[in-house]
Amino acid sequence: MTIHIDLPQLQADFIRYAKVNTRSYPGRDTTPSTPGQTELAKLLVAQLKDLGLQDVGLNPANGFVTATLPANTDKPTKSFGIIAHLDTADYNAENVQPQVHPNYDGKPIHFDNGLSLTVEQFPALKRYFGQTLITGDGTTLLGVDDKAGIAGAVATARYLLAHPEVKHGLIKFGFGPDEEIGTGADKFDAKGFATDFAYTLDNGDPGQIEYETFNAAQATVTIEGTSVHPGEAKDLMINANTLGRQLDAALPLFDRPEFSDGHEGYFLLLKFHGEISDAQLVYIIRDFDRQKFDARKAYFMKTIDELNTPFDHPRFKVEMHDQYYNMADIINKDPYPLRLAEAGIQAAGMTPKTIPFRGGTDGSKITYQGIPTPNLFNGGINFHGPYEVVSTEAMGKIAETLVHMAELNAAGTVD
């Protein structure tokens, strides 16, 4: 089946979404954490209703926009969801000005603030030669992560609604807040969404599938020092900053992100704030293997206990909590969603590429809420900064892939 996605409309949608400042902020007690996300959510509600989707709504309790495309076949078939996030990362997102570069030829793109996009610095730009490249203006991020995913999802709905001859089962759409700060999916209504499985659209390389994520924990360490005048410090001063350095030095030197790749885990000192009297260190702990993950947490706590030994009372105190788990432990029990994604990618003329994702997605949490949710591509590169780019054609491949997946799922031709 040949699929012709409406690329001019998809491009216009993406640019419209990109111009809304949806940067999220941690530590806020509202959902979404920023009003721009609600602005984009309301825009999507109106657009999805105009397209003709059913049950379109914005849940004020969790900030998710959801919508339903009913099945158009009587044949029993699995239902699936398509999910993308509204927010962008912690980089300037005010006054985003998308720039369109038709028939990109690989020549340097220079921005007025002195930054440049070059193939020499970013070799992945080669994949966009001959395509319509979209960038920011060098002063903000573009919002590819994840507004390209949103645009691809909406283009999928538009195509399927306009082509009832393409048979499909029930498909649900979900657009949620605060993925970048790791809190949005905590409130996802999996029971209400109620699909057999789903996909997030939250990484770049066309054809890519990710279903292995880290197991993740965060540890906040507070250190009590003793501050006295340095001229009288002998045998009295206990420098909390020095103790913090001792903690970091006690962890394995090469178990850090800068020395790790593939399935290797790590400890990362994320923040270190301190004075002589007190200090706070924030670590994240990551591993793909659940047993190794638990062993890392135990090692961390053992290290803390050992550092406390010389003192008459604990100088190191730890608060540790798990953040998310490796969804592969669930998805491997029934790999049908992976096989369907591979078949859809192949039908769209691409080669499936399955890689471990060295992070987490909303799908990590949604999977453990009962809906297996691997991650698919959104077509962009250089996320979270002024060098973000995507092409109109790459976003079109998202929609083309999802349409093929919908048809293949309904036909029952994928094992």
Side-chain angles (χ1 to χ4, degrees):
M1 177 181 67
T2 302
I3 296 170
H4 296 290
I5 301 298
D6 186 344
L7 295 182
Q9 182 61 60
L10 187 156
Q11 178 178 298
D13 283 345
F14 172 75
I15 290 173
R16 187 181 181 192
Y17 306 152
K19 289 184 177 181
V20 182
N21 180 354
T22 59
R23 180 178 178 177
S24 53
Y25 284 92
R28 298 185 175 182
D29 57 3
T30 59
T31 301
S33 63
T34 51
Q37 295 181 72
T38 300
E39 179 183 346
L40 179 56
K42 290 179 178 178
L43 183 160
L44 286 168
V45 167
Q47 185 178 30
L48 298 177
K49 286 181 177 178
D50 287 345
L51 285 177
L53 292 176
Q54 296 184 13
D55 305 322
V56 181
L58 168 58
N59 186 334
N62 64 13
F64 271 82
V65 174
T66 54
T68 301
L69 179 63
N72 65 356
T73 177
D74 294 330
K75 183 177 179 179
T77 185
K78 295 179 182 291
S79 60
F80 70 85
I82 300 170
I83 298 170
H85 63 86
L86 301 163
D87 64 319
T88 57
D90 55 345
Y91 194 85
N92 180 30
E94 186 63 40
N95 194 32
V96 173
Q97 296 296 322
Q99 312 291 308
V100 178
H101 310 270
N103 195 26
Y104 172 60
D105 58 5
K107 292 180 181 177
I109 296 173
H110 301 293
F111 302 122
D112 290 343
N113 64 352
L115 297 182
S116 297
L117 269 168
T118 67
V119 173
E120 290 73 23
Q121 186 175 5
F122 303 106
L125 285 168
K126 294 176 182 177
R127 77 170 65 133
Y128 302 111
F129 285 0
Q131 299 182 20
T132 299
L133 195 70
I134 306 175
T135 71
D137 67 356
T139 65
T140 69
L141 51 65
L142 178 58
V144 177
D145 179 13
D146 192 23
K147 290 167 183 174
I150 297 174
V154 171
T156 302
R158 180 180 292 111
Y159 187 92
L160 290 173
L161 286 162
H163 294 272
E165 72 277 8
V166 179
K167 299 305 176 185
H168 57 81
L170 182 143
I171 300 173
K172 286 196 172 181
F173 297 83
F175 306 108
D178 293 334
E179 187 272 349
E180 298 291 357
I181 59 174
T183 61
D186 291 334
K187 298 181 180 180
F188 179 72
D189 181 10
K191 185 177 180 180
F193 204 69
T195 56
D196 293 311
F197 54 93
Y199 301 92
T200 50
L201 309 176
D202 199 14
N203 206 354
D205 196 4
Q208 196 157 289
I209 305 169
E210 296 158 333
Y211 74 98
E212 296 178 272
T213 59
F214 278 132
N215 297 290
Q218 179 171 301
T220 301
V221 182
T222 56
I223 303 175
E224 175 193 342
T226 298
S227 181
V228 297
H229 191 284
E232 301 174 348
K234 183 175 174 59
D235 299 327
L236 295 175
M237 177 185 286
I238 298 176
N239 190 330
N241 292 314
T242 301
L243 296 184
R245 292 199 301 272
Q246 289 175 358
L247 167 59
D248 199 51
L251 298 173
L253 175 62
F254 293 104
D255 280 16
R256 305 178 189 223
E258 58 266 42
F259 303 115
S260 306
D261 63 6
H263 287 89
E264 296 171 332
Y266 59 76
F267 301 93
L268 171 62
L269 177 56
L270 197 63
K271 297 178 183 179
F272 188 160
H273 301 292
E275 301 179 27
I276 295 172
S277 59
D278 59 90
Q280 183 184 81
L281 293 79
V282 178
Y283 281 87
I284 58 174
I285 301 170
R286 301 289 189 263
D287 212 297
F288 284 91
D289 182 272
R290 189 63 172 267
Q291 290 185 330
K292 291 180 179 179
F293 174 61
D294 290 339
R296 283 186 182 278
K297 292 189 292 180
Y299 185 93
F300 191 90
M301 297 305 297
K302 181 175 179 288
T303 301
I304 294 292
D305 290 341
E306 291 173 349
L307 289 170
N308 272 324
T309 300
F311 303 110
D312 59 356
H313 68 277
R315 295 276 180 168
F316 294 81
K317 296 181 180 179
V318 183
E319 292 184 3
M320 183 183 293
H321 67 276
D322 290 353
Q323 297 171 297
Y324 55 86
Y325 301 109
N326 186 353
M327 58 180 157
D329 294 341
I330 302 295
I331 293 172
N332 279 331
K333 296 176 182 178
D334 180 5
Y336 176 77
L338 302 180
R339 303 290 84 79
L340 178 62
E342 290 169 351
I345 288 167
Q346 289 173 333
M350 297 176 290
T351 301
K353 291 165 281 190
T354 302
I355 65 168
F357 183 46
R358 293 181 58 81
T361 69
D362 277 349
S364 304
K365 294 181 177 180
I366 294 170
T367 295
Y368 278 85
Q369 294 170 20
I371 303 176
T373 306
N375 187 53
L376 301 181
F377 64 96
N378 63 18
I381 59 171
N382 303 340
F383 297 157
H384 297 191
Y387 301 105
E388 275 191 314
V389 300
V390 71
S391 76
T392 304
E393 291 83 353
M395 290 188 288
K397 281 295 182 182
I398 306 169
E400 184 181 345
T401 297
L402 291 167
V403 171
H404 280 299
M405 288 166 58
E407 185 175 45
L408 290 165
N409 181 53
T413 55
V414 177
D415 294 333

